[in-house]
């Protein structure tokens, strides 16, 4: 696979759009190796005799691997250069597929470890793919296209996985078969990403030069902006936990609402979510002032939290049916969740004005976020194992909406105050 990229220069818009589509395709394909098993219920499994149900154990094992990968990625992604990215992406996804094959071959309970091995390499993929699109004047648009992949792909992959199950593929082999079906999409996307031009001079002038961040650079950044990051990451932990729960137990939620076994429901709820939640984020590329764009993203996160809470309230009041609620609640959830994966930290680097890369911040948040996801799964299994899936999801939706709104507001106030102080200092004449 070629690794040489075109040199930086004036980049045609069509080329950038095709690059955004390639980033979308690469991460879309990755989901076919990560999420298909969530379409199965794994009701009665021979060899499983533990208090935690089998599917929850699989999810926890995979998330542990994924979270460990994020911790490793805080350093690896921050320091990784431009060479060899596509080859590394392909190798990591290939390793995850081998783990899915082992999952089908190894009997329970030992095959739970295969899901840990499946998640371990996949946690690096986002940072490697995002490095192709960050630091550009149109990064919001490209980032929105990339983020659409994890919103749409989860539903589409589970729909394809359900069709394989209905065709007679066993629950143990279905994940590996689904992943293999998306291999052509992965190869084509990586081939084009390697031909995507580097950021040009105007990109670097407006969005800051993107360079690897060594340990000293990362430490200095955290000392200067640690409080705001802590507030944002606390909110992101909650958003990741509920987003993963909604994603992993979509089959159980749809069953509780009377749509069990309907493969089309996974895609029908997620396609509108992608359009609603990403259109506004992409439009932020029109905001040239980086600090204003950063604060606007805080506002979008708060708006998403309101959507999540109010749509859930409307569903409980009987004003929304199951599908409209899943669409509007999902749109709110992803309005709040998506900025953390691309645009928020990309603009933060640009607003601060020091060379660096957004991958470091994304992985710092992700490592914390997936710890929250594991904690929620354990809480559901050990503390509230008999609570109805739908009732549990409604409860955490309310809690997340309130907490994320408050934490994000405090972070926005902090950034606004520091920006005002910096402007006042710049206007003060030196003696």
């Amino acid at each position: 696979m070629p690794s040489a990229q075109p040199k930086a220069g004036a980049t045609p818009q069509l080329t950038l759009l095709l690059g955004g589509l390639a980033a979308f395709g690469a991460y879309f394909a990755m989901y076919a190796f990560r999420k298909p098993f969530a379409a199965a219920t794994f009701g009665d499994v021979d060899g499983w005799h533990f208090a935690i149900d089998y599917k929850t154990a699989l999810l926890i094992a995979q998330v542990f691997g994924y979270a460990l990968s994020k911790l490793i990625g805080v350093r690896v992604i921050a320091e990784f250069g431009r060479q060899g990215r596509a080859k590394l992406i392909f190798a990591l996804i290939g390793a995850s597929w081998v783990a899915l094959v082992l999952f089908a071959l190894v009997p329970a309970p030992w095959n739970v470890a295969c899901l840990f091995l499946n998640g371990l390499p996949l946690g690096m993929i986002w940072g490697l793919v995002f490095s192709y699109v960050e630091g550009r004047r149109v990064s919001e648009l490209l980032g929105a296209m990339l983020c659409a992949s994890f919103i749409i792909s989860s539903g589409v992959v589970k729909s394809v996985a359900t069709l394989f199950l209905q065709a007679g593929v066993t629950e143990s082999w279905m994940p590996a078969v689904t992943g293999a079906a998306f291999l052509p999409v992965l190869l084509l996307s990586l081939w084009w990403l390697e031909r995507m031009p580097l950021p040009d001079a105007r990109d670097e002038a407006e969005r800051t030069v993107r360079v690897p961040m060594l340990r000293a650079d990362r430490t200095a950044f955290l000392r200067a902006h640690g409080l705001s990051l802590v507030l944002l990451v606390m909110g992101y932990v909650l958003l990741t936990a509920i987003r993963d729960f909604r994603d992993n137990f979509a089959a159980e939620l749809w069953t509780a609402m009377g749509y069990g076994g309907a493969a089309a429901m996974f895609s029908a709820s997620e396609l509108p979510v992608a359009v609603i939640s990403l259109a506004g984020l992409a439009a932020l590329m029109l905001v040239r002032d980086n600090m204003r764009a950063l604060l606007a993203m805080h506002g979008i996160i708060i708006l998403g939290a309101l959507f999540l809470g109010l749509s859930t309230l409307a569903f409980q009041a009987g004003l929304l049916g199951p599908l409209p609620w899943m669409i509007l609640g999902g749109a709110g959830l992803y309005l709040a969740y998506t900025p953390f994966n691309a645009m928020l930290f990309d603009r933060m680097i640009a607003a601060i004005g020091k060379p660096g890369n957004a991958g470091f911040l994304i992985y710092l948040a992700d490592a914390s976020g997936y710890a929250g996801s594991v904690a929620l799964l354990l809480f559901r299994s050990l503390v509230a194992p008999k609570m109805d899936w739908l009732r549990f999801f409604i409860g955490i939706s309310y809690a997340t909406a309130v907490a994320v709104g408050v934490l994000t507001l405090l972070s926005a106030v902090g950034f606004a105050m520091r920006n005002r102080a910096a402007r006042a200092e710049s206007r003060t004449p030196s003696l």
Side-chain angles (χ1 to χ4, degrees):
M1 186 177 297
S3 59
Q5 285 182 296
K7 296 180 180 180
T11 307
Q13 297 303 308
L14 178 60
T15 301
L16 286 176
L17 288 175
L18 290 174
L21 287 174
F24 170 92
Y27 206 72
F28 188 104
M30 185 282 288
Y31 253 70
F33 296 83
R34 181 184 172 203
K35 286 294 184 181
F37 80 96
T41 56
F42 297 103
D44 295 315
V45 178
D46 293 336
W48 188 258
H49 309 290
F50 299 91
I52 297 178
D53 69 271
Y54 182 67
K55 182 175 179 178
T56 298
L58 294 178
L59 290 168
I60 291 174
Q62 189 190 52
V63 172
F64 263 125
Y66 206 72
L68 178 59
S69 184
K70 296 293 183 181
L71 284 172
I72 298 170
V74 171
R75 175 176 179 178
V76 174
I77 299 300
E79 298 181 2
F80 204 86
R82 300 184 186 277
Q83 299 298 318
R85 290 175 292 183
K87 291 180 179 178
L88 181 57
I89 291 170
F90 183 77
L92 291 171
I93 292 179
S96 75
W97 184 77
V98 171
L100 292 180
V101 173
L102 291 175
F103 171 74
L105 296 174
V106 177
W110 311 109
N111 61 356
V112 171
C114 299
L115 264 293
F116 172 82
L117 297 176
N118 168 260
L120 186 59
L122 294 181
M124 297 283 187
I125 305 301
W126 177 265
L128 292 168
V129 175
F130 183 69
S131 68
Y132 286 97
V133 303
E134 75 165 305
R136 303 175 189 270
R137 288 162 302 172
V138 294
S139 283
E140 281 78 18
L141 176 60
L142 300 180
M145 295 170 70
L146 175 55
C147 289
S149 64
F150 62 69
I151 300 175
I152 298 173
S153 62
S154 181
V156 173
V157 164
K158 286 196 284 288
S159 292
V160 173
T162 301
L163 293 175
F164 277 127
L165 289 173
Q166 293 173 352
V169 179
T170 64
E171 287 186 329
S172 59
W173 275 106
M174 174 270 292
V177 171
T178 304
F182 283 82
L183 184 59
V185 176
L186 175 65
L187 292 173
L188 179 61
S189 300
L190 293 179
W191 179 83
W192 184 260
L193 277 177
E194 279 298 291
R195 282 151 183 77
M196 192 175 178
L198 303 177
D200 60 31
R202 289 184 61 191
D203 290 328
E204 293 180 350
E206 289 193 24
R207 296 296 181 94
T208 306
V209 178
R210 302 307 163 103
V211 298
M213 294 181 72
L214 302 180
R215 182 174 181 178
D217 303 317
R218 301 194 297 270
T219 301
F221 190 97
L222 293 176
R223 285 176 179 171
H225 308 285
L227 179 58
S228 291
L229 283 174
V230 167
L231 292 170
L232 289 171
V233 168
M234 287 173 65
Y236 185 65
V237 167
L238 299 174
L239 290 168
T240 302
I242 188 175
R243 178 255 180 184
D244 267 14
F245 186 89
R246 178 182 182 272
D247 193 25
N248 292 325
F249 295 102
E252 286 79 1
L253 292 174
W254 282 118
T255 299
M257 292 184 287
Y259 293 90
M265 297 306 295
F266 296 116
S267 300
S269 62
E270 302 310 288
L271 290 172
V273 165
V275 174
I276 295 170
S277 60
L278 296 175
L281 291 169
L284 284 175
M285 71 176 183
L286 301 175
V287 181
R288 292 302 185 194
D289 184 89
N290 292 311
M291 182 56 68
R292 288 181 180 176
L294 178 61
L295 294 176
M297 284 182 200
H298 280 71
I300 287 176
I301 294 170
I302 294 172
L303 179 63
L306 286 173
F307 257 73
L308 176 62
L310 293 177
S311 64
T312 303
L313 183 63
F315 172 70
Q316 280 200 292
L319 300 176
L320 287 177
L323 182 58
W325 173 51
M326 290 294 277
I327 291 174
L328 292 177
L333 174 59
Y334 279 103
L335 268 176
Y337 175 83
T338 302
F340 289 91
N341 292 273
M343 307 86 162
L344 179 68
F345 295 129
D346 186 68
R347 283 287 195 163
M348 190 182 293
I349 291 290
I352 292 169
K354 294 183 178 180
N357 64 72
F360 160 59
L361 299 176
I362 291 172
Y363 271 68
L364 191 66
D366 264 352
S368 304
Y370 283 102
S373 183
V374 171
L376 183 63
L377 288 171
L378 291 173
F379 178 84
R380 171 67 177 80
S381 296
L382 301 177
V383 180
K386 296 182 179 180
M387 184 180 290
D388 176 79
W389 292 102
L390 186 58
R391 181 183 164 199
F392 184 79
F393 181 68
I394 288 172
I396 61 176
S397 294
Y398 285 134
T400 300
V402 173
V404 169
V406 172
L407 290 168
T408 307
L409 180 61
L410 291 175
S411 173
V413 170
F415 274 112
M417 291 178 62
R418 281 196 297 275
N419 183 53
R420 185 179 300 175
R423 288 187 175 184
E425 184 178 346
S426 65
R427 288 195 295 266
T428 302
S430 57
L431 299 178

